[in-house]
Amino acid sequence: MAIYRKLLEIQSAIKGLTKDKAAFNYDYVTGDKLLSHIRPMMCDKQLLLLPSVSDVKSQVVTYEVYDRNAKGFVNKTEILYVVRLEMKWVDAEDGEVLIEKWSGSGMNAFDKGYGSALTYGERYYLLKTFHIPTDKDDVD
């Protein structure tokens, strides 16, 4: 059960992260910021996180958006990707393994939606696993 103790120690060490990027009218914590805080602690505790994709679903989605240049609504078509992930924690000291199921989604006009789904899934898995607050103001 050392893996649970190590995960708790990481969770206890993270007080919170402020949102550091804005896009599409949303503020969020970037993966770079998140990983720069968590990865050194994972290495110190000798924990590996090995994500793998167990399923991918994609769907073409067409919707209306306002286009300033056209001065009206236009149709936009993108591909929505939903990935099912297995997040596998491995304790490199004793080989103990913990596998959790997770998912992520992403949408883009081309293949970037798949990468977005993976990135989004990993980022939010880590934020939720470690119960990391992401307040807009100073989290301390």
Side-chain angles (χ1 to χ4, degrees):
M1 293 289 209
I3 200 165
Y4 291 105
R5 180 185 48 76
K6 291 179 178 187
L7 291 171
L8 177 61
E9 288 172 2
I10 292 172
Q11 178 178 304
S12 299
I14 301 171
K15 302 302 178 209
L17 298 171
T18 54
K19 296 176 181 179
D20 62 326
K21 185 158 183 172
F24 304 107
N25 296 320
Y26 294 100
D27 295 332
Y28 62 94
V29 174
T30 60
D32 292 343
K33 183 174 186 175
L34 176 62
L35 290 174
S36 72
H37 279 78
I38 292 178
R39 192 167 178 268
M41 289 184 266
M42 289 170 52
C43 291
D44 182 58
K45 305 290 181 201
Q46 297 188 32
L47 285 178
L48 299 169
L49 178 58
L50 307 172
S52 63
V53 176
S54 61
D55 187 42
V56 179
K57 291 192 180 354
S58 63
Q59 167 185 341
V60 176
V61 177
T62 301
Y63 57 96
E64 282 190 339
V65 295
Y66 185 79
D67 185 323
R68 282 183 265 165
N69 294 330
K71 296 183 179 171
F73 287 92
V74 297
N75 284 336
K76 185 171 184 176
T77 300
E78 296 185 315
I79 302 170
L80 170 65
Y81 289 90
V82 177
V83 295
R84 301 284 179 218
L85 302 166
E86 286 190 358
M87 307 304 271
K88 181 178 183 179
W89 289 100
V90 178
D91 187 330
E93 280 187 291
D94 63 12
E96 184 179 358
V97 171
L98 170 64
I99 298 174
E100 297 183 304
K101 296 188 183 305
W102 195 255
S103 64
S105 62
M107 191 159 69
N108 195 282
F110 299 102
D111 60 342
K112 292 179 184 175
Y114 178 73
S116 295
L118 295 173
T119 300
Y120 184 89
E122 178 189 51
R123 183 178 47 197
Y124 281 91
Y125 172 78
L126 290 170
L127 286 169
K128 297 305 176 188
T129 294
F130 293 112
H131 302 280
I132 301 171
T134 59
D135 295 335
K136 187 173 185 175
D137 299 322
D138 184 0
V139 294
D140 291 330

